[in-house]
Amino acid sequence: MLTLSLLLLISSSRISQAEEFDEFGDAKKPGTDSVFGSGSDSGGGGGGDDSGSDIPTVPKGLDACDGIYVTYNFISREKTYPHVKNVSAQSWAFRSQLQVMNMGITELKSWKVFIGFQHNEILVSTDGGILVDGDDFPAQVGNNGTTVAGYPKTDLKTGIETAGDMTQMTANVEFKGTQFGLKTGTPMPKSIKLVNDGFTCPAPTKKKTNMYMCCRKDKKFKPKVTKTKFAQRRYGDLNFMYDILQAYGNNYMAQVTIDNDHPLGRLDHWNLTWEWMRGEFIYSMRGAFTRMTDPSECVYGTAGQYYQDLDFSKVTNCQKKPIISDLPREMKDDDKLGKLPYCCRNGTILPKTMNESESRSIFQLQNWKINGVLNPQYKCGPAVRVDPTEFPDPSGLNAKTLAVATWQVVCNITKPKEKQSKCCVTFSGYYNESAIPCSTCACGCDDLPEQRKCSQKAPAMLLPPEALLVPFDNRTEKAKAWARIKHLPVYNPAPCPDNCGVSINWHVDSDYKSGWTARLTLFNWGDIPFENWFAAVQLGKASLGYEKVYSFNGTRLPEQNNTVFFQGLPGLNYLIAETNGSSPSEPKVPGKQQSVISFTKKLKWSLDVPGGDGFPTRVLFNGEECALPKGIPKKSGAHKLIQLSNHAPLFWMTIVTILMLIV
């Protein structure tokens, strides 16, 4: 758990201005004032509604819409520097606007609209909305488009409940960005679409500088009937709850709860960051700490102008994008920073599959991001106002206490792009003398030293199995010698390394009529050890025959595509970091753990283990999906003959022994 005491700033230049929203992002009623006031504009990622106090312009053709009217308007563009002759490489600064209007009979909560940008657009700022995937500005959106959500106006009321007040029925989002190419014509998106559940949208009507559509309720959609004042809670792989526990005139106390709800997700040494939207700063904190303590941003900013009598030397953090980290375990009982449930585990949040009690960390809100050392990449959506969280009454009575206000942020695991993994897999088999190493640049080649000359396109060279035990830099000569012996190609320049901090070797150890065995070996090539590690392997139909693992704890997870889940035994769950060799001339030694795994064929007699059924289709380490090699070891006819000839003496020896016993 992490509890924050936060101060919300009020910019002196805007104290006298009428605010359209209260401190929680709700539309204010006429004549009311905000408890907290309003802060300065966000600059890059959101801010207030662009409409201000002006009534939004009613688009043409709106009268025929009885649902959600969505329109995109291209405003202008201007050629920017550098000026180049190549039309496709010329950059243009553009401005455009998205308008969403509720013309239906039910309130639209947490609206979201997809915009299919297609001209290599880079968004520099949005005013009145945020990007759902949480990308920082400038954000590359021109390849796959992007989804925009409203902020601070997340909900759009109806004309019935507002007496036709267009300011409460409409949200405007202003875009500023850069695009490339298209010397003539208007660079419009491919499409726009309302992506809220329960709506169907036709193809947009396209004009020269605008496109629009009317999205209506889907009559086939059956929502869950729940009576809530705010948006329904949703749950993804990682979920945040931001609860305001106490609120005062110009400050409030909040609590952030992080729940890991993915059975194979995990975080280690997590770092959490977001972007303050209204000038807040963190005055004090328990259960976690900020990576930077610098009061100068407060002293010389709007905070110093407003809080002239405040001693900023005691302020925890003044950054607009603070970075929050968990406390180490030894500070759990610290009187000032610790003594909170679910805190102080050095940033480790385990999946419930391993330990449910350590799958939560309890510690506004915008552009949330969280990452770990070697963990999956999470994409976080916008903060959504939900019904206040219920807490047990602190007095011990059989009663409940509600938070003043609650927001929820949902994050989901994304599949790593090619050459952006953090771990990789090697394959080998008893029937083939060569091991297939990790792919070239499996974990990227962006950080290679300039003096290193290698090919990022050349395939990784096959290796003798013992070469997997030494660092990549010590494999080069072994790989070349092995290539000469096996008459394999030698590349010049040689392939670049895989650059992965962790590699996993999957070795098919044996294959017989009623079963087969494999050996899983973990290698830690980095300088950070892994405590309470876990690995997960998907084997398709072969997973059904999982029988036993001998040096790890293992279990099959039927609800996760029959994934086989492994973790270290108690006292042996620590994968040490890479260490120096026994002498300076010896190569470094990776941290290593391995175990043999046995499978039965009783459920699937038709398994072709060497042909592919015995090799994983997906491997994860601490939740991160590892890059697989391009192929598997082949079993040729020659190999079959070698195996038969090797076993022949044993066969005849067995017969002779039996005859001797009979005599």
Side-chain angles (χ1 to χ4, degrees):
M1 175 181 287
L2 177 113
T3 302
L4 309 175
S5 176
L6 307 174
L7 290 178
L8 178 64
L9 306 185
I10 301 176
S11 175
S12 59
S13 62
R14 297 184 62 179
I15 291 177
S16 61
Q17 294 181 10
E19 294 296 331
E20 186 179 350
F21 306 99
D22 65 12
E23 62 276 11
F24 301 134
D26 296 330
K28 286 173 53 179
K29 297 179 181 179
T32 62
D33 193 12
S34 170
V35 176
F36 300 128
S38 172
S40 58
D41 290 339
S42 63
D49 187 349
D50 183 65
S51 61
S53 59
D54 296 331
I55 298 176
T57 303
V58 179
K60 295 181 179 179
L62 187 65
D63 292 341
C65 182
D66 56 358
I68 307 301
Y69 188 87
V70 183
T71 179
Y72 178 90
N73 300 299
F74 184 84
I75 300 174
S76 64
R77 72 170 182 164
E78 180 182 354
K79 185 183 290 188
T80 61
Y81 293 102
H83 293 175
V84 296
K85 294 181 179 179
N86 186 352
V87 175
S88 62
Q90 178 60 55
S91 59
W92 298 75
F94 76 93
R95 292 178 60 243
S96 62
Q97 181 193 58
L98 174 72
Q99 190 173 61
V100 185
M101 307 182 75
N102 186 359
M103 310 306 294
I105 60 174
T106 58
E107 183 178 3
L108 178 64
K109 293 181 178 294
S110 303
W111 68 265
K112 297 184 289 290
V113 171
F114 173 79
I115 305 175
F117 290 111
Q118 60 176 334
H119 298 288
N120 295 322
E121 288 92 344
I122 300 173
L123 287 183
V124 177
S125 69
T126 62
D127 188 8
I130 58 172
L131 304 185
V132 169
D133 58 11
D135 285 342
D136 287 332
F137 290 99
Q140 178 71 51
V141 299
N143 295 328
N144 301 313
T146 190
T147 301
V148 179
Y151 186 86
K153 187 184 286 187
T154 59
D155 305 333
L156 300 180
K157 297 185 179 298
T158 68
I160 298 173
E161 61 185 336
T162 62
D165 185 355
M166 296 299 292
T167 59
Q168 299 186 58
M169 299 164 56
T170 306
N172 293 328
V173 182
E174 292 281 348
F175 299 105
K176 291 182 180 179
T178 303
Q179 60 175 210
F180 293 86
L182 198 64
K183 185 176 182 180
T184 60
T186 305
M188 295 290 289
K190 282 184 180 180
S191 63
I192 55 174
K193 183 180 180 181
L194 182 73
V195 294
N196 291 66
D197 293 336
F199 287 88
T200 58
C201 299
T205 300
K206 298 181 180 180
K207 303 294 184 181
K208 183 178 180 180
T209 59
N210 80 312
M211 60 173 62
Y212 57 89
M213 64 171 58
C214 180
C215 301
R216 294 178 171 87
K217 285 280 190 178
D218 185 357
K219 296 180 180 179
K220 297 180 180 180
F221 181 75
K222 295 181 179 180
K224 295 181 179 180
V225 180
T226 54
K227 294 183 179 180
T228 59
K229 181 180 178 181
F230 303 99
Q232 296 183 20
R233 297 193 180 197
R234 300 190 177 190
Y235 296 94
D237 298 330
L238 197 69
N239 301 290
F240 296 85
M241 286 297 174
Y242 184 88
D243 298 303
I244 294 181
L245 305 180
Q246 300 174 9
Y248 308 99
N250 54 10
N251 65 83
Y252 61 91
M253 178 179 289
Q255 175 176 288
V256 177
T257 305
I258 309 173
D259 281 307
N260 180 12
D261 290 323
H262 193 287
L264 300 177
R266 174 178 176 142
L267 281 169
D268 291 286
H269 306 285
W270 57 258
N271 291 307
L272 173 65
T273 184
W274 61 77
E275 181 180 358
W276 291 120
M277 304 303 290
R278 299 185 179 184
E280 300 95 329
F281 62 88
I282 302 174
Y283 184 77
S284 63
M285 179 184 297
R286 293 180 65 189
F289 70 98
T290 58
R291 289 286 181 176
M292 175 69 70
T293 302
D294 183 8
S296 62
E297 292 188 38
C298 287
V299 173
Y300 299 109
T302 54
Q305 300 174 16
Y306 185 77
Y307 296 98
Q308 297 182 4
D309 298 328
L310 183 66
D311 182 5
F312 285 101
S313 64
K314 298 179 180 180
V315 168
T316 298
N317 185 274
C318 293
Q319 294 175 297
K320 187 174 184 178
K321 292 184 178 181
I323 300 177
I324 313 295
S325 299
D326 195 14
L327 291 169
R329 294 181 183 271
E330 54 267 24
M331 301 194 71
K332 181 178 180 181
D333 296 323
D334 187 89
D335 291 332
K336 293 183 178 180
L337 300 177
K339 288 190 174 181
L340 289 173
Y342 304 109
C343 92
C344 315
R345 289 197 296 266
N346 205 29
T348 296
I349 304 179
L350 300 177
K352 294 178 180 178
T353 312
M354 292 185 68
N355 189 334
E356 188 168 355
S357 66
E358 294 196 13
S359 65
R360 165 177 286 191
S361 186
I362 300 186
F363 128 61
Q364 132 202 14
L365 229 164
Q366 231 38 288
N367 292 345
W368 287 69
K369 286 192 175 181
I370 191 165
N371 56 53
V373 176
L374 198 158
N375 302 117
Q377 184 72 30
Y378 289 91
K379 281 286 187 180
C380 300
V384 176
R385 180 83 180 273
V386 295
D387 281 346
T389 301
E390 296 180 352
F391 297 96
D393 192 280
S395 65
L397 296 175
N398 187 19
K400 296 179 180 178
T401 302
L402 295 180
V404 178
T406 298
W407 284 265
Q408 182 189 35
V409 176
V410 175
C411 305
N412 287 305
I413 295 174
T414 61
K415 183 180 178 66
K417 297 179 181 179
E418 188 177 4
K419 297 187 178 182
Q420 291 185 10
S421 298
K422 300 175 185 176
C423 56
C424 62
V425 180
T426 63
F427 286 158
S428 56
Y430 70 90
Y431 52 85
N432 195 308
E433 295 177 338
S434 297
I436 300 180
C438 295
S439 300
T440 303
C441 300
C443 297
C445 283
D446 296 336
D447 298 329
L448 288 175
E450 294 182 0
Q451 64 271 21
R452 181 160 197 163
K453 295 182 179 180
C454 60
S455 173
Q456 298 186 22
K457 296 182 179 180
M461 299 174 64
L462 298 181
L463 299 171
E466 66 271 13
L468 298 175
L469 301 172
V470 297
F472 185 90
D473 290 339
N474 301 94
R475 297 178 189 173
T476 304
E477 295 305 320
K478 291 180 179 290
K480 291 181 178 180
W482 189 253
R484 288 191 290 268
I485 294 172
K486 297 296 180 180
H487 306 290
L488 300 172
V490 177
Y491 301 98
N492 187 19
C496 292
D498 55 71
N499 296 314
C500 296
V502 171
S503 65
I504 300 174
N505 174 246
W506 181 268
H507 176 78
V508 175
D509 214 27
S510 67
D511 180 25
Y512 45 95
K513 182 178 180 180
S514 60
W516 61 286
T517 61
R519 184 176 66 243
L520 179 71
T521 307
L522 308 174
F523 296 97
N524 183 5
W525 305 99
D527 53 5
I528 298 176
F530 296 98
E531 184 180 4
N532 291 322
W533 60 267
F534 76 82
V537 176
Q538 288 184 5
L539 285 160
K541 59 184 180 180
S543 298
L544 296 172
Y546 168 72
E547 191 174 39
K548 186 178 180 181
V549 61
Y550 295 89
S551 301
F552 302 152
N553 275 329
T555 185
R556 183 170 62 87
L557 306 176
E559 68 281 2
Q560 295 295 320
N561 295 322
N562 289 309
T563 297
V564 185
F565 184 88
F566 303 108
Q567 58 181 313
L569 294 169
L572 300 173
N573 57 352
Y574 198 82
L575 183 61
I576 64 172
E578 186 180 57
T579 57
N580 293 324
S582 56
S583 65
S585 60
E586 294 292 324
K588 290 187 175 182
V589 180
K592 185 181 72 170
Q593 287 201 23
Q594 69 175 206
S595 179
V596 173
I597 311 160
S598 61
F599 297 84
T600 180
K601 293 182 180 178
K602 292 180 180 179
L603 298 175
K604 290 288 181 181
W605 289 94
S606 60
L607 287 179
D608 183 2
V609 174
D613 290 338
F615 290 91
T617 57
R618 193 172 180 223
V619 177
L620 294 92
F621 178 78
N622 280 359
E624 169 75 8
E625 185 166 351
C626 303
L628 297 177
K630 300 298 183 182
I632 61 174
K634 295 181 179 179
K635 185 175 182 179
S636 63
H639 284 118
K640 291 181 180 178
L641 292 174
I642 292 172
Q643 295 299 327
L644 289 172
S645 62
N646 287 342
H647 286 84
L650 178 61
F651 172 74
W652 288 110
M653 188 179 296
T654 303
I655 293 178
V656 171
T657 303
I658 293 174
L659 290 174
M660 290 178 64
L661 290 173
I662 293 175
V663 174

